[in-house]
C-alpha cells in the first residue's frame, strides 16, 4: 500500500498528463464522429423560378442539418421533375418551399431584351438578380425604376463579343412584362445587378 502511495506521489505529474491526453483523444474522436449525418439536395446549376428541375441541375450532398433537417429535402425525396418556386443558385440547399409539383408556367414570362453593352454590369450571368431602369427619350422626364429584383434567365454571350446590343432574357410575371414593354418603347433600358 505504501509503495502505491509513493509511486503516485513521485509520478503524479505523469499520471495527470496521461489522463489529460486520454481525455483529449476521447473528445477528439467524439467530435470527428459527429460529422455529416444525412444527405440533402444541392443546386449545381442555376434554376430559374418556374423551371423544371432536371438531374443536371442538382446533386446530393452529405450535410449535418441538426434541428433544421425538417426544412430541407432529404436525398430520398425526389425533386427531379418538380418545378422551382424561386430562382435557385449553385450551392443552395433545396428546402421544402423551393419546389412544387405543379407548373407555374402561366405566371412566368421569359422576356427578351436588347440592352446596350454599356448599360449592363460586367460579368452578368444567368441566375443573377437585377433591377431595370429606363432613361426616357424625352429630356423633361427623369430616369425611373421599371422592375426590381428579377432574375436573369439567359444571356447571349455571342452578341456580347460583337458589341452593340446584348440580348438577355429575364423571367418575370405578367405585370412586370407589361412594364418592361412599356419602358422599352419610352427609352433606353439600364440594368443594375444586386450585390448578393
Amino acid at each position: 500500500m505504501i509503495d502505491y502511495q509513493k509511486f503516485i506521489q513521485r509520478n503524479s505529474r505523469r499520471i495527470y498528463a496521461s489522463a489529460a491526453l486520454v481525455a483529449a483523444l476521447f473528445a477528439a474522436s467524439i467530435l470527428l464522429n459527429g460529422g455529416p449525418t444525412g444527405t440533402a439536395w444541392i443546386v449545381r446549376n442555376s434554376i430559374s423560378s418556374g423551371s423544371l428541375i432536371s438531374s443536371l441541375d442538382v446533386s446530393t450532398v452529405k450535410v449535418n442539418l441538426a434541428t433544421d433537417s425538417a426544412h430541407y429535402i432529404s436525398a430520398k425525396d425526389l425533386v427531379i421533375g418538380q418545378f422551382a418556386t424561386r430562382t435557385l443558385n449553385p450551392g443552395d440547399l433545396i428546402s421544402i418551399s423551393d419546389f412544387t409539383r405543379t407548373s407555374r408556367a402561366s405566371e412566368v414570362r421569359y422576356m427578351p431584351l436588347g440592352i446596350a453593352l454599356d448599360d449592363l454590369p460586367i460579368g452578368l450571368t444567368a441566375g443573377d438578380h437585377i433591377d431595370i431602369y429606363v432613361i426616357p427619350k424625352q429630356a423633361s422626364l427623369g430616369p425611373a425604376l421599371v422592375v426590381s429584383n428579377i432574375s436573369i434567365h439567359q444571356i447571349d454571350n455571342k452578341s456580347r463579343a460583337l458589341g452593340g446590343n446584348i440580348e438577355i432574357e429575364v423571367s418575370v410575371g405578367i405585370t412586370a412584362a407589361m412594364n418592361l414593354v412599356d419602358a422599352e418603347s419610352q427609352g433606353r433600358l439600364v440594368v443594375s445587378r444586386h450585390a448578393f
Side-chain angles (χ1 to χ4, degrees), residues 113 130-134 144-147 150 170 180 189-192:
L113 298 170
I130 61 169
D131 296 334
I132 298 180
Y133 299 85
V134 63
L145 178 66
V146 180
V147 290
I150 61 172
V170 293
L180 283 168
L189 298 181
V190 177
V191 173
S192 69

Side-chain angles (χ1 to χ4, degrees), residues 8-163:
I8 291 172
Q9 287 175 349
R10 287 182 191 161
N11 299 303
S12 62
R13 289 184 181 169
R14 290 182 185 149
I15 293 170
Y16 290 134
S18 298
L21 181 62
V22 168
L25 291 172
F26 181 71
S29 70
I30 289 174
L31 290 175
L32 290 175
N33 291 331
T37 56
T39 53
W41 289 100
I42 191 168
V43 178
R44 289 186 350 196
N45 300 313
S46 291
I47 305 169
S48 298
S49 178
S51 296
L52 185 69
I53 300 172
S54 76
S55 60
L56 300 174
D57 298 325
V58 294
S59 64
T60 56
V61 64
K62 289 190 176 200
V63 289
N64 184 6
L65 298 171
T67 57
D68 291 332
S69 60
H71 299 290
Y72 293 93
I73 304 303
S74 70
K76 64 183 176 187
D77 298 319
L78 194 59
V79 298
I80 297 169
Q82 311 299 329
F83 296 91
T85 58
R86 68 175 182 90
T87 298
L88 300 170
N89 297 308
D92 288 350
L93 289 177
I94 299 178
S95 72
I96 292 171
S97 61
D98 289 340
F99 74 96
T100 181
R101 300 188 192 295
T102 57
S103 172
R104 292 185 349 182
S106 60
E107 299 173 22
V108 176
R109 303 289 186 267
Y110 295 113
M111 184 84 180
L113 298 170
I115 309 289
L117 179 61
D118 294 338
D119 294 334
L120 279 177
I122 296 172
L124 190 68
T125 60
D128 285 348
H129 289 265
I130 61 169
D131 296 334
I132 298 180
Y133 299 85
V134 63
I135 300 175
K137 295 172 190 171
Q138 294 180 354
S140 61
L141 300 174
L145 178 66
V146 180
V147 290
S148 178
N149 198 25
I150 61 172
S151 175
I152 295 284
H153 184 250
Q154 287 183 348
I155 298 177
D156 181 12
N157 286 316
K158 292 177 186 172
S159 63
R160 184 182 294 231
L162 298 173

